Amino acid sequence: MSDKITHELRLMSGFEMPISTLSLLKADGSLHKGAKAPKLSKETALRIYDTMLFIRVLDERMVGAQRQGRLSFYMTCTGEEAAVIGSAAAFEDKDMIMGQYREHGALRYRGFTTQQFMHQMLSNSKDLGKGRQMPIHYGSNELNYMTISSPLATQIPQAAGYAYAQKLEGNNACTLVYFGEGAASEGDFHAGMNMAAVLKCPTVFFCRNNGYAISTPSEEQYAGDGIAARGVGYGMKTIRVDGNDVLAVYAACVEARKIAVENHEPVLVEAMSYRLGAHSTSDDPSGYRSREEEDKWRAVDPVLRMKNWMIAKKWWTEAEEKTAMENYRKEVLDTLKATEKVPAPALGELITDVYDKPDANLENQLASLREHIAKYPEKYPKTAASVNGEEH
Amino acid sequence: MSDKITHELRLMSGFEMPISTLSLLKADGSLHKGAKAPKLSKETALRIYDTMLFIRVLDERMVGAQRQGRLSFYMTCTGEEAAVIGSAAAFEDKDMIMGQYREHGALRYRGFTTQQFMHQMLSNSKDLGKGRQMPIHYGSNELNYMTISSPLATQIPQAAGYAYAQKLEGNNACTLVYFGEGAASEGDFHAGMNMAAVLKCPTVFFCRNNGYAISTPSEEQYAGDGIAARGVGYGMKTIRVDGNDVLAVYAACVEARKIAVENHEPVLVEAMSYRLGAHSTSDDPSGYRSREEEDKWRAVDPVLRMKNWMIAKKWWTEAEEKTAMENYRKEVLDTLKATEKVPAPALGELITDVYDKPDANLENQLASLREHIAKYPEKYPKTAASVNGEEH
Amino acid sequence: MAKMNLLQAVNNALDLAMANDKRVVCFGEDIGKFGGVFRATSNLQDKYGRARCFNTPLTEQGIAGFAIGMAAQGHVPVAEMQFADYIFPAFDQIVNEAAKFRYRSGNQFNVAGLTIRTPYGGGIAGGLYHSQSPEAYFTQTPGLKVVVPSTPYQAKGLLLAAIRDPNPVIFFEPKRLYRAAVGEVPEDDFELPLGVAEVVKEGSDITLLAWGAQMEHLQAAAGMAEAEGISCEVIDLRTLLPWDVETVAKSVKKTGRLLITHEAPITGGFAGEIAATIQDHCFLYLESPIARVCGLDTPFPLVHEKEYMPDQYKIFEAIKNSIHY
Amino acid sequence: MAKMNLLQAVNNALDLAMANDKRVVCFGEDIGKFGGVFRATSNLQDKYGRARCFNTPLTEQGIAGFAIGMAAQGHVPVAEMQFADYIFPAFDQIVNEAAKFRYRSGNQFNVAGLTIRTPYGGGIAGGLYHSQSPEAYFTQTPGLKVVVPSTPYQAKGLLLAAIRDPNPVIFFEPKRLYRAAVGEVPEDDFELPLGVAEVVKEGSDITLLAWGAQMEHLQAAAGMAEAEGISCEVIDLRTLLPWDVETVAKSVKKTGRLLITHEAPITGGFAGEIAATIQDHCFLYLESPIARVCGLDTPFPLVHEKEYMPDQYKIFEAIKNSIHY
Ligand SMILES: Cc1ncc(C[n+]2csc(CCOP(=O)(O)OP(=O)(O)O)c2C)c(N)n1
Ligand SMILES: Cc1ncc(C[n+]2csc(CCOP(=O)(O)OP(=O)(O)O)c2C)c(N)n1
Ligand SMILES: [Mg+2]
Ligand SMILES: [Mg+2]
């Protein structure tokens, strides 16, 4: 608390100065006057942009596959690629990433293969998650990318704890945690932010403010100056960035990571963007927002903006773009097709990983189930074969 | 969100200007230079001050009674009387009050009798709460004072909902909800504040920031600029006051109530004060804070400060003070003594109010219990008599 | 009478409740303009205005707390939890606050008007977090009522009763049946009593008991058993708390056998409570152990959903085991 | 061996765990400098520093989430919930997150190191919110282990085992016994196995089963029964999830009778699960219905605490009823 005393009764009704938004890149790919581009090597820029293109293609093709019934569910990152990939690029591999669900761009940036994506989405025996969760709930221990969990905001206090443990470990790593402006209404958000601030956890909280939580617009989500205003309230260093401006996102995150790791304290980054697609393949946004609004945001497409910058820098050409897109389209579709043939996880996986080892109760339940399936093999086509001898 | 754009990377690390604290009254009872006293009638001032004295006496005597084993538990308001009573006085009887537990001053201000306090604390058959909760968990439908519930912060979103319903009812009433700076770390705080701001609930959120949550000092509770900074983050009109300054508290709350009722929107008031006593009779603060710190705050005692002001205004005299204290001491002790003879609630009350009416299952459980007690009357001295015929 | 699916029956009940009592207010995540992710609240905002049907911020603990506050004031909130899997952040508000509100205050205050609706259950390829059946987490809580309809008819009659019941009610809607279950439902206002089980079919060899979506599997299994000459008495529990011990005990005294099925994991599920109570009430009548056909003791697995579910074949086998014990 | 009360045994276990493994970290409300409201963490901050033993802000959901994150990283958090009555805000983090962490990730990640300690139970004039026994809310949750010690010896041995068990454990401490229970405890490091019940006393007429603070009432009742010539086999369950079906079933097959007691309300309590399982395993051996002597189906009432509690007299009466069935 400050020692500032007043004798005049006045209620505060907002910030003395509203929180400003960092913006470096114009829509045409040139820098704003006075803006300073962050240090970003050609190699990193290409890797970011390449990831953007891959994610665009993946999203487009998977939505199609879902419509064809080849996939039960999908969620796109469309419109938020700069926020997600630009941020991930500012971190080191040893840093843990905890996502909400719309951040597969960060996972790709770290090296998750097209094949790995497909295994997860098709819930097969090669899915690292053993087919237990819905499509898009990726996770990879090797890549320090925590498995996605559907309950919203639970990862936020977890990220504080994870980072605190990293600090104890003393290996100069931090945790990057993503969440939406909707999830930021959950009690877990408050708990996690406040604990991180008080306990000085090297966590970078990255809010993707994309204007909607399913059908709920941000005006029905909060009444204050976005999520950034809360960071300030927690006594946390905070910055708001144009989420469609990859340079602004990257620059802010480089700085945020530095503060987190060097000062052992959390930082909040709020990236202002827009969810260009539906919430998920189960959703139809025409029921709650206008085409015009969408078009307004389509005009400030983050991928296009980066492309313009890359072309201006002569790091990229239209021809390269065309080839890349074609290759990715083919790769995604070929991989999908091939992966459809991979069998489901064995029945035994139903009871593993509940505990470190199945206890007697679970073993008994599995044994009864095997017997039952052997009696009704046609009713359990996914596992009947494995019960009938192919598996021990 | 603002449209303010910047091209220069800068993290916010606190408010551009820290939140100031409203202070009107000096320790000697005179006004600060430039301070404007609120309109406060002699009658109201006397009622506030009288309530303060009663609460001082009640707290002192009940702590004593607890030490003598006449009471199982107690919590004092000592040091926070101006915050609690000064705020309650700014509201109307039709406004709902939802307390945390340390606000019996507000209940007294509304007219809860000494006898009613005793019935509750002795868990007897005349306790409005039927003896079910620990001492100090008061509640009165008649006085629009919601029964206290031990789980912290649960009342905060409830207060948002209660006030929303008042708004729908259209009767120009609002809800005043109290909580500590510790409770403000709970997820329910975040949920309630944000919902009230978005849904425009006429709720006045009153934070008693008394420096401690049991043994935890506020530096280990939050890292930001207190609780007020959060209100601003929720887009809520917010004011911080010197909680030991009854005029500042009263003035801020008059204004807060006006805004809540007229604009249908929530207001946050943060009152900076200090818990002069132990957390409760189960606590011993010497294990976690210094005598010097306590003394520093004892020097700015809110009751004394109001007394000085009252005497300066010629609304009060030392002689009146002496009589009032003596009367209250006698009243409290006499009432305690007399109330110790009131019997416990009848056994049947064990199963009422679980539902609107006991169901068959509960009736059966009670019947078995009666039979059992009749077999072992000496083991259940509180209820054996009522089972043996005195009750149906 | 009109043909409705279960979702329409819910929507119709909400519509009638709001029309007949202006204190009834609906809210939850996405339930306003959009009408909810399942569309249970379609058109209600248009009809009754934003003040009485609105989106909330995304916070289940807030929604529950807010609803409790409204109910304490005398309004009749019908709050939606988008999925039963997401009811847990509201757990404290529900079990520590709503359930104990009347008791702790000595009836000075109550949350009579409170109803929390939430879609539950598996069979929709939802995996761990869009499939749970958490009813047993609530049946340990005196002060709550827990209701689960199994048909559109029940959905309407029980939901109207729940909204008007002077106690807090958790109303679990079987989402697998939202569109799949279609049936005749009276167009007028009507209520089905809470706390009363329904004997769906009389029989003499074994009593079969379930609730909600599981009734479908149970009835299919009963059909298989009847084809083999086993006479099944089928009971739909409808209300889990407080539950209708009398109807179940009476049936078991007649048939001498009981099978209970639910989707939730067997250990700690509500079938345990029923079995414990019935073995006590009907000890001398039981001819075989009370059978429980339930989910496995694992989280709900996406890919092995079929294997996990207590389906008609598992129930049928358990019926035969019980008969031939 | 040393004489310790239950609180000292807990403190001693934490001390040893922290001394032997620097990844062990203790935190919770008021547990730092102050050593916790019951003083279970006394001196640990002095000994191991603020980084490894610290106060948290007042948020149970945050504490649980933070602990899960630390455990996911490979640390060994031992988080305290100040009272079991206040564990509910953490319910989502515990049942949706901790319990499912390993499963949902296909064992990519786990929270092996996680332990949550919390004092539970009545008998201390705590009323509704300082008396609850919420163990059954957790026993419906595959992935968790639930442990309840009844003596200082068990408290130390089981807590050390819980901290080191590679699964998340909820450790309920019987607060009524914190100072009241005193016994001999080895000073060295030792563990008691999780998942294994303890046959405290052999007998032939009836099996009596409980856990935690309720063991005291149970043993007193057994004493009363023995005095009337009833031979009691007394079992302390110790771990509720996963529980030791084999030991209990074996005993019931021998005695033909079972009585279970817990403080929590009877409906939905864990005795129901045990009764349901045992009537299945021991159907042909049972000579009377499995008896449950439990709390009433009400919130925990302050003034009628004595009447509410399943005490030795109620248990003794139920033993006689079972024997003379
Ligand atoms: C605890 C919880 N409540 C509700 C849901 C259902 N749900 C899934 S996504 C979503 C909206 C999230 O919005 P936001 O956080 O803004 O992320 P975005 O989808 O915009 O990326 C909701 C309500 C959930 N998954 N978890
Ligand atoms: C949910 C919950 N967690 C923990 C507690 C135990 N507890 C009771 S009072 C208290 C401290 C509250 O501090 P604060 O909110 O600052 O209020 P103060 O006592 O200072 O008035 C704690 C931790 C509780 N009652 N409820
Ligand atoms: Mg969003
Ligand atoms: Mg405080």
Side-chain angles (χ1 to χ4, degrees):
Chain A
M1 190 189 57
S2 82
D3 293 324
K4 217 183 140 200
I5 302 286
T6 178
H7 307 312
E8 178 205 357
L9 197 162
R10 199 176 57 83
L11 281 88
M12 299 190 59
S13 57
F15 289 91
E16 301 305 306
M17 33 173 68
I19 297 175
S20 52
T21 303
L22 176 68
S23 170
L24 301 175
L25 212 48
K26 291 196 268 188
D28 66 5
S30 66
L31 286 179
H32 281 288
K33 220 183 123 191
K36 193 168 151 275
K39 274 203 203 104
L40 178 60
S41 69
K42 178 175 172 187
E43 190 195 341
T44 303
L46 278 171
R47 184 166 157 203
I48 292 174
Y49 190 68
D50 180 64
T51 306
M52 284 183 171
L53 292 185
F54 173 79
I55 292 296
R56 273 275 151 108
V57 168
L58 184 72
D59 284 354
E60 177 194 299
R61 295 291 125 164
M62 289 302 110
V63 168
Q66 195 278 338
R67 289 216 185 96
Q68 294 165 8
R70 297 165 77 182
L71 208 64
S72 62
F73 178 83
Y74 194 74
M75 293 180 106
T76 71
C77 182
T78 314
E80 301 178 62
E81 292 90 345
V84 169
I85 303 164
S87 52
F91 289 78
E92 296 190 13
D93 286 350
K94 67 181 173 185
D95 298 329
M96 172 52 69
I97 296 183
M98 294 187 172
Q100 175 158 306
Y101 48 58
R102 213 182 284 289
E103 302 88 0
H104 39 300
L107 180 58
R108 175 65 177 193
Y109 188 86
R110 288 244 166 134
F112 210 59
T113 66
T114 310
Q115 182 61 71
Q116 286 176 311
F117 279 105
M118 293 303 157
H119 286 323
Q120 198 286 329
M121 285 188 273
L122 296 178
S123 315
N124 67 35
S125 55
K126 292 184 175 164
D127 167 24
L128 293 174
K130 301 189 185 171
R132 290 168 183 152
Q133 291 206 77
M134 285 173 70
I136 70 102
H137 289 66
Y138 315 107
S140 166
N141 187 302
E142 196 196 334
L143 300 177
N144 276 329
Y145 191 95
M146 185 63 72
T147 301
I148 299 300
S149 156
S150 318
L152 289 166
T154 50
Q155 79 278 17
I156 301 175
Q158 290 171 14
Y162 200 101
Y164 187 87
Q166 288 172 313
K167 180 172 83 169
L168 291 188
E169 201 86 32
N171 60 356
N172 289 321
C174 68
T175 298
L176 165 64
V177 57
Y178 291 101
F179 53 91
E181 87 295 340
S185 293
E186 293 280 7
D188 273 355
F189 164 85
H190 178 60
M193 294 285 285
N194 188 43
M195 289 184 81
V198 173
L199 297 166
K200 298 198 139 290
C201 305
T203 314
V204 175
F205 295 94
F206 191 97
C207 178
R208 294 185 292 94
N209 189 334
N210 63 6
Y212 285 86
I214 307 187
S215 76
T216 305
S218 57
E219 311 89 69
E220 296 180 33
Q221 196 66 245
Y222 55 75
D225 188 7
I227 308 305
R230 298 186 193 157
V232 179
Y234 294 116
M236 198 181 284
K237 291 213 171 74
T238 297
I239 188 164
R240 173 176 284 153
V241 298
D242 177 346
N244 287 12
D245 175 345
V246 72
L247 295 189
V249 170
Y250 180 80
C253 287
V254 166
E255 185 65 18
R257 180 182 192 278
K258 189 162 174 278
I259 294 169
V261 171
E262 291 180 6
N263 303 7
H264 296 305
E265 63 173 87
V267 180
L268 171 64
V269 181
E270 182 183 23
M272 309 310 288
S273 184
Y274 191 82
R275 193 196 76 209
L276 276 177
H279 170 70
S280 74
T281 50
S282 315
D283 176 47
D284 173 10
S286 70
Y288 54 82
R289 70 186 192 190
S290 69
R291 196 69 205 206
E292 294 75 60
E293 181 184 294
E294 292 178 8
D295 287 344
K296 207 193 87 192
W297 280 91
R298 227 179 293 276
V300 293
D301 185 308
V303 180
L304 189 63
R305 203 186 304 182
M306 181 162 190
K307 178 178 156 188
N308 290 340
W309 180 72
M310 298 280 285
I311 288 177
K313 282 195 89 87
K314 304 234 185 309
W315 288 355
W316 192 247
T317 64
E318 288 290 359
E320 284 171 300
E321 174 101 359
K322 193 156 167 266
T323 317
M325 293 295 275
E326 271 164 18
N327 289 345
Y328 277 142
R329 286 198 180 109
K330 186 164 160 25
E331 180 182 332
V332 165
L333 286 183
D334 288 354
T335 313
L336 172 62
K337 203 161 168 194
T339 310
E340 284 168 334
K341 304 201 182 77
V342 179
L347 181 64
E349 297 290 6
L350 179 47
I351 65 153
T352 60
D353 308 331
V354 178
Y355 296 100
D356 62 316
K357 307 194 260 296
D359 64 331
N361 172 46
L362 280 169
E363 293 287 12
N364 290 340
Q365 291 183 359
L366 180 63
S368 309
L369 181 58
R370 280 195 204 284
E371 257 177 61
H372 177 75
I373 294 175
K375 260 188 220 153
Y376 293 89
E378 75 287 359
K379 303 297 178 195
Y380 308 92
K382 263 192 201 146
T383 46
S386 81
V387 166
N388 287 324
E390 287 178 45
E391 212 188 17
H392 47 265
Chain B
M1 188 192 58
S2 82
D3 293 326
K4 216 180 140 200
I5 302 287
T6 177
H7 307 311
E8 179 206 355
L9 197 163
R10 199 176 59 83
L11 281 88
M12 299 189 59
S13 56
F15 290 90
E16 300 306 307
M17 32 172 69
I19 297 174
S20 52
T21 303
L22 175 68
S23 170
L24 301 176
L25 212 50
K26 290 196 268 187
D28 66 6
S30 67
L31 286 179
H32 281 288
K33 217 184 125 193
K36 195 168 147 273
K39 275 201 203 103
L40 179 60
S41 68
K42 178 175 174 189
E43 188 196 341
T44 303
L46 278 170
R47 183 164 157 204
I48 291 173
Y49 189 67
D50 180 65
T51 305
M52 284 182 172
L53 292 186
F54 173 79
I55 292 296
R56 273 275 152 110
V57 169
L58 183 73
D59 284 354
E60 178 194 297
R61 296 291 125 163
M62 289 302 110
V63 168
Q66 195 277 338
R67 288 217 186 95
Q68 295 165 7
R70 298 165 77 182
L71 207 66
S72 61
F73 178 82
Y74 193 74
M75 293 179 107
T76 71
C77 182
T78 313
E80 301 178 61
E81 292 91 344
V84 170
I85 303 165
S87 53
F91 288 78
E92 297 191 11
D93 286 350
K94 67 182 174 185
D95 298 330
M96 172 52 69
I97 295 183
M98 294 186 171
Q100 176 159 307
Y101 48 59
R102 212 181 283 289
E103 301 89 0
H104 39 300
L107 180 58
R108 175 67 176 191
Y109 188 85
R110 287 242 166 137
F112 209 59
T113 66
T114 309
Q115 181 61 74
Q116 285 177 313
F117 278 106
M118 293 304 158
H119 286 323
Q120 198 286 328
M121 284 187 277
L122 295 178
S123 315
N124 67 34
S125 56
K126 291 183 176 168
D127 167 25
L128 292 174
K130 302 188 185 170
R132 289 168 183 152
Q133 289 206 78
M134 285 172 71
I136 72 102
H137 288 65
Y138 315 107
S140 166
N141 187 302
E142 195 196 334
L143 300 177
N144 277 329
Y145 191 95
M146 184 64 71
T147 301
I148 299 302
S149 156
S150 320
L152 289 166
T154 51
Q155 80 277 19
I156 302 176
Q158 291 171 14
Y162 200 101
Y164 186 86
Q166 290 172 312
K167 180 172 84 168
L168 290 189
E169 203 87 30
N171 60 355
N172 289 321
C174 69
T175 298
L176 165 63
V177 57
Y178 292 100
F179 52 92
E181 89 294 340
S185 293
E186 292 280 6
D188 273 356
F189 164 85
H190 178 60
M193 295 286 284
N194 188 42
M195 288 184 83
V198 173
L199 297 166
K200 298 196 139 289
C201 304
T203 314
V204 175
F205 294 93
F206 192 98
C207 178
R208 294 185 290 94
N209 190 332
N210 63 4
Y212 285 87
I214 307 185
S215 75
T216 305
S218 57
E219 311 89 70
E220 295 180 34
Q221 197 65 248
Y222 54 76
D225 187 8
I227 309 304
R230 296 185 195 158
V232 179
Y234 293 117
M236 198 182 283
K237 290 212 171 73
T238 296
I239 188 165
R240 172 177 286 153
V241 299
D242 177 346
N244 287 11
D245 175 345
V246 72
L247 295 188
V249 171
Y250 181 79
C253 286
V254 166
E255 184 65 17
R257 180 181 191 277
K258 189 161 174 279
I259 293 169
V261 172
E262 291 180 6
N263 302 7
H264 297 306
E265 62 173 88
V267 180
L268 171 64
V269 181
E270 182 183 21
M272 309 311 290
S273 184
Y274 190 81
R275 195 196 74 210
L276 276 177
H279 170 71
S280 73
T281 50
S282 315
D283 177 47
D284 173 10
S286 70
Y288 53 83
R289 69 186 191 188
S290 69
R291 195 73 205 200
E292 294 74 59
E293 180 185 294
E294 292 177 7
D295 287 343
K296 208 193 86 193
W297 281 90
R298 230 180 291 276
V300 292
D301 186 309
V303 180
L304 190 63
R305 203 186 306 183
M306 182 166 190
K307 177 178 159 190
N308 290 340
W309 180 71
M310 299 278 287
I311 287 177
K313 280 193 92 82
K314 306 233 185 307
W315 287 356
W316 191 248
T317 64
E318 288 289 0
E320 284 171 301
E321 175 101 358
K322 192 157 169 270
T323 318
M325 293 296 275
E326 273 165 16
N327 289 345
Y328 277 142
R329 286 201 179 108
K330 185 165 160 26
E331 180 182 332
V332 164
L333 284 185
D334 288 354
T335 313
L336 172 62
K337 203 162 173 194
T339 310
E340 283 169 335
K341 303 200 181 77
V342 179
L347 182 65
E349 297 289 8
L350 179 47
I351 66 154
T352 61
D353 308 331
V354 178
Y355 296 100
D356 62 317
K357 307 194 260 297
D359 64 331
N361 172 47
L362 281 169
E363 293 287 12
N364 290 339
Q365 293 183 359
L366 179 63
S368 309
L369 180 58
R370 280 195 205 284
E371 258 177 60
H372 178 75
I373 294 176
K375 261 188 220 153
Y376 294 89
E378 75 287 1
K379 303 297 178 197
Y380 308 92
K382 264 194 199 142
T383 46
S386 79
V387 165
N388 287 327
E390 286 178 44
E391 210 190 18
H392 47 264
Chain C
M1 290 288 208
K3 260 212 157 36
M4 294 185 194
N5 64 30
L6 205 147
L7 210 44
Q8 290 163 331
V10 167
N11 184 260
N12 182 236
L14 295 173
D15 192 350
L16 281 168
M18 294 183 84
N20 293 342
D21 181 351
K22 76 179 196 352
R23 299 170 313 154
V24 177
V25 177
C26 293
F27 51 89
E29 294 157 14
D30 301 297
I31 74 115
K33 186 167 176 191
F34 191 50
V37 293
F38 290 103
R39 323 312 294 264
T41 53
S42 283
N43 301 317
L44 298 178
Q45 188 176 80
D46 280 351
K47 230 162 147 174
Y48 300 102
R50 289 176 74 109
R52 289 183 58 203
C53 176
F54 54 88
N55 289 340
T56 61
L58 211 171
T59 165
E60 293 75 16
Q61 64 193 106
I63 294 168
F66 195 90
I68 288 168
M70 287 199 77
Q73 194 276 340
H75 270 71
V76 183
V78 186
E80 177 178 304
M81 298 285 157
Q82 199 162 79
F83 285 84
D85 309 71
Y86 305 136
I87 201 170
F88 299 121
F91 205 71
D92 186 53
Q93 284 284 355
I94 296 171
V95 313
N96 256 348
E97 293 289 316
K100 300 175 172 63
F101 217 88
R102 193 192 287 273
Y103 195 78
R104 74 183 181 204
S105 73
N107 206 23
Q108 290 281 304
F109 298 97
N110 66 65
V111 290
L114 178 67
T115 303
I116 293 177
R117 301 173 35 245
T118 189
Y120 85 95
I124 59 146
L128 274 83
Y129 294 119
H130 295 84
S131 306
Q132 293 178 61
S133 296
E135 67 273 10
Y137 287 113
F138 298 91
T139 48
Q140 159 89 345
T141 312
L144 294 182
K145 295 197 174 181
V146 178
V147 178
V148 194
S150 67
T151 63
Y153 175 79
Q154 282 188 14
K156 179 169 176 181
L158 291 171
L159 181 51
L160 280 166
I163 292 171
R164 292 158 185 170
D165 186 87
N167 297 287
V169 181
I170 314 295
F171 193 83
F172 287 102
E173 299 171 2
K175 64 175 172 294
R176 186 169 61 78
L177 303 183
Y178 265 159
R179 294 194 166 81
V182 179
E184 293 291 331
V185 180
E187 279 162 292
D188 288 348
D189 201 317
F190 75 101
E191 293 177 24
L192 290 171
L194 303 190
V196 180
E198 180 186 344
V199 180
V200 176
K201 192 187 117 10
E202 297 198 14
S204 54
D205 295 334
I206 185 169
T207 302
L208 306 180
L209 178 67
W211 52 85
Q214 202 56 15
M215 283 305 296
E216 203 182 56
H217 295 298
L218 190 69
Q219 285 175 285
M224 292 172 77
E226 299 268 346
E228 301 210 352
I230 302 169
S231 167
C232 302
E233 179 139 317
V234 179
I235 302 182
D236 185 339
L237 195 57
R238 300 200 307 203
T239 302
L240 273 63
L241 194 70
W243 67 285
D244 186 351
V245 180
E246 206 183 307
T247 297
V248 179
K250 195 173 138 206
S251 172
V252 175
K253 283 183 183 161
K254 179 175 77 176
T255 63
R257 293 185 163 88
L258 175 61
L259 178 150
I260 314 156
T261 176
H262 58 59
E263 271 181 43
I266 184 165
T267 297
F270 196 60
E273 175 59 35
I274 298 171
T277 302
I278 294 300
Q279 65 86 32
D280 189 26
H281 281 62
C282 307
F283 188 73
L284 298 175
Y285 298 84
L286 281 172
E287 291 170 38
S288 65
I290 297 168
R292 293 187 289 166
V293 185
C294 303
L296 270 65
D297 286 326
T298 70
F300 201 105
L302 179 74
V303 69
H304 292 137
E305 176 163 33
K306 255 196 154 43
E307 287 74 10
Y308 175 90
M309 290 285 271
D311 62 16
Q312 62 182 97
Y313 309 104
K314 294 184 188 173
I315 299 170
F316 174 57
E317 288 298 313
I319 293 173
K320 288 191 293 183
N321 283 342
S322 178
I323 296 290
H324 305 127
Y325 185 76
Chain D
M1 288 287 204
K3 258 210 160 37
M4 295 185 194
N5 65 27
L6 206 147
L7 210 43
Q8 290 164 330
V10 167
N11 184 260
N12 182 236
L14 294 173
D15 191 351
L16 280 170
M18 293 183 86
N20 293 342
D21 182 351
K22 77 178 196 350
R23 297 170 314 153
V24 177
V25 177
C26 293
F27 50 90
E29 294 157 13
D30 301 295
I31 73 116
K33 187 167 176 190
F34 191 51
V37 294
F38 291 102
R39 325 309 297 265
T41 54
S42 283
N43 301 318
L44 299 178
Q45 188 176 80
D46 280 351
K47 228 162 148 175
Y48 301 103
R50 290 178 72 110
R52 289 182 60 202
C53 177
F54 53 89
N55 289 341
T56 61
L58 210 170
T59 165
E60 292 76 13
Q61 65 194 107
I63 293 168
F66 195 91
I68 289 169
M70 287 199 77
Q73 194 276 341
H75 271 71
V76 184
V78 185
E80 177 178 304
M81 298 285 156
Q82 200 163 78
F83 285 86
D85 309 71
Y86 305 136
I87 201 170
F88 299 121
F91 206 70
D92 186 54
Q93 284 285 355
I94 296 171
V95 311
N96 256 348
E97 293 290 315
K100 299 174 174 63
F101 217 89
R102 194 191 287 271
Y103 195 78
R104 75 182 180 205
S105 73
N107 206 23
Q108 290 281 303
F109 297 97
N110 66 66
V111 291
L114 178 67
T115 302
I116 294 177
R117 301 174 37 246
T118 189
Y120 85 97
I124 59 146
L128 274 84
Y129 295 118
H130 296 83
S131 306
Q132 292 178 62
S133 297
E135 67 272 10
Y137 287 113
F138 297 91
T139 48
Q140 158 89 345
T141 311
L144 295 181
K145 295 197 175 180
V146 177
V147 177
V148 194
S150 66
T151 63
Y153 176 78
Q154 280 188 16
K156 178 167 176 181
L158 291 171
L159 182 51
L160 280 167
I163 291 170
R164 292 158 186 171
D165 186 86
N167 297 286
V169 181
I170 315 294
F171 193 82
F172 288 102
E173 299 171 2
K175 62 176 173 294
R176 184 168 63 77
L177 304 183
Y178 264 159
R179 294 194 166 80
V182 179
E184 293 291 332
V185 180
E187 280 162 291
D188 287 346
D189 201 316
F190 76 101
E191 294 177 27
L192 290 171
L194 303 190
V196 180
E198 180 186 344
V199 180
V200 176
K201 192 188 115 16
E202 297 200 14
S204 54
D205 295 334
I206 185 168
T207 303
L208 305 179
L209 178 67
W211 50 87
Q214 202 55 16
M215 284 305 297
E216 203 182 56
H217 296 298
L218 191 69
Q219 285 175 284
M224 292 171 77
E226 300 267 347
E228 301 212 351
I230 302 169
S231 164
C232 302
E233 178 137 320
V234 179
I235 302 182
D236 185 337
L237 196 55
R238 300 198 307 201
T239 301
L240 274 62
L241 194 69
W243 66 286
D244 186 350
V245 180
E246 208 183 306
T247 297
V248 179
K250 197 175 137 205
S251 171
V252 176
K253 282 183 182 159
K254 179 176 75 177
T255 63
R257 292 182 164 88
L258 175 61
L259 177 150
I260 314 155
T261 176
H262 58 60
E263 272 182 43
I266 184 166
T267 298
F270 196 59
E273 176 58 36
I274 298 171
T277 301
I278 294 300
Q279 64 86 32
D280 190 27
H281 280 63
C282 307
F283 189 74
L284 298 174
Y285 299 83
L286 282 172
E287 289 169 41
S288 66
I290 298 168
R292 292 187 287 167
V293 185
C294 303
L296 269 65
D297 286 326
T298 71
F300 200 104
L302 178 74
V303 70
H304 292 137
E305 177 163 33
K306 255 198 153 45
E307 287 74 10
Y308 175 90
M309 290 284 272
D311 62 17
Q312 63 182 95
Y313 309 103
K314 293 184 188 173
I315 298 170
F316 174 56
E317 288 298 312
I319 293 173
K320 288 191 293 183
N321 283 344
S322 178
I323 296 290
H324 304 126
Y325 184 76

